[in-house]
Amino acid sequence: MATAKPSKTTPQPQALPSIRRQPSQARAQQTMQTLFKAAAQILDKEGEAGLTTNKVAAAAGFSIGTLYQYFPSKEVLVRAMAAKGQDMVLQALEQYLAALELRPDVAQMDPQDFLRQAMKILLQGFATGKGFSQSLIRLGWLMEQPQETASVVRQVADRLAIFFERINHPALKSPSPAQLFVLSRSVIGTLRSASLEKSPLLGSAALEDALVQVAWALLARK
């Protein structure tokens, strides 16, 4: 594994895709959050076919012109919401891993326990829904831009590489770049497929267990 470490470990928020007006003030941020909430509610109640910019603007209490100041189309709105959701996942993972790194007893902890908790964060953020609903996550995957997904997966892999090196757990090895590549793409690829397929495994203990087993197989010292 490469020994060079990035100077910053906190994931940087992804730029919202193709938004006409970047929010810089608190009022603009609040407007966007209100639009996001309205869109999520419509999507949950009426499905993708019922989601229109006119409905979102009306439900949020804004004119359609106000919505178009930020989002020129429904697709841009959904992708912006998906990007926000991805940032939330990366931030939650960062907070969890950073807290573990500061624990003096981390080397004595059961590694499968903290692997499971990290997996829960990824599951909730990329498949089962936390902050945004399963229906929105699925629509985000349907409209994904491959380069944006690749960037998120790389950030997950890079942060995990730093984490495993820092904790130096006796039961875990520092994975090679190839092992981290396989692990990160296997996990997020599985979550993407489960979301798109509306798999009944979503939210099940069986899926969570299987993902932890994959991680353990690649990371455990033999």
Side-chain angles (χ1 to χ4, degrees):
M1 185 177 73
T3 57
K5 302 183 182 66
S7 59
K8 295 183 179 179
T9 60
T10 302
Q12 297 301 307
Q14 298 294 294
L16 297 179
S18 304
I19 294 177
R20 284 179 170 167
R21 178 177 173 185
Q22 290 289 343
S24 57
Q25 299 177 351
R27 183 176 179 181
Q29 291 280 1
Q30 183 59 49
T31 297
M32 290 186 63
Q33 291 304 315
T34 302
L35 291 167
F36 284 172
K37 182 178 180 181
Q41 290 173 343
I42 293 169
L43 187 60
D44 286 343
K45 291 179 181 178
E46 304 182 37
E48 181 184 351
L51 183 65
T52 68
T53 51
N54 282 318
K55 286 183 179 180
V56 172
F62 298 124
S63 69
I64 190 66
T66 297
L67 184 148
Y68 283 149
Q69 287 179 11
Y70 298 92
F71 309 108
S73 68
K74 179 181 77 172
E75 290 73 22
V76 173
L77 170 61
V78 170
R79 287 181 56 213
M81 294 172 71
K84 177 68 174 178
Q86 290 171 350
D87 287 340
M88 291 169 62
V89 179
L90 293 175
Q91 289 166 13
L93 183 65
E94 168 61 30
Q95 291 170 3
Y96 178 65
L97 297 181
L100 279 178
E101 290 168 351
L102 293 175
R103 289 190 56 157
D105 63 339
V106 68
Q108 286 75 51
M109 292 177 63
D110 183 340
Q112 292 198 49
D113 285 347
F114 56 70
L115 286 177
R116 183 174 297 276
Q117 184 56 40
M119 205 65 69
K120 284 180 184 291
I121 292 171
L122 297 177
L123 268 164
Q124 290 174 345
F126 292 126
T128 62
K130 183 179 181 181
F132 290 114
S133 66
Q134 286 189 30
S135 55
L136 176 59
I137 292 172
R138 179 175 179 274
L139 186 55
W141 283 124
L142 285 169
M143 295 183 176
E144 72 172 315
Q145 296 294 306
Q147 69 274 17
E148 293 169 6
T149 300
S151 174
V152 170
V153 178
R154 282 195 298 270
Q155 289 183 72
V156 171
D158 290 347
R159 185 59 182 91
L160 288 175
I162 294 169
F163 170 74
F164 290 122
E165 185 171 329
R166 284 178 176 173
I167 64 168
N168 192 27
H169 196 286
L172 296 172
K173 59 189 175 186
S174 293
S176 68
Q179 289 169 327
L180 276 173
F181 184 95
V182 170
L183 176 60
S184 57
R185 275 65 175 183
S186 297
V187 170
I188 295 183
T190 297
L191 299 181
R192 176 185 180 276
S193 294
S195 178
L196 288 172
E197 296 172 24
K198 299 182 181 179
S199 172
L201 288 170
L202 282 176
S204 70
L207 180 60
E208 182 181 303
D209 288 344
L211 291 172
V212 173
Q213 290 165 8
V214 169
W216 185 250
L218 284 168
L219 298 171
R221 291 186 187 275
K222 304 301 182 182

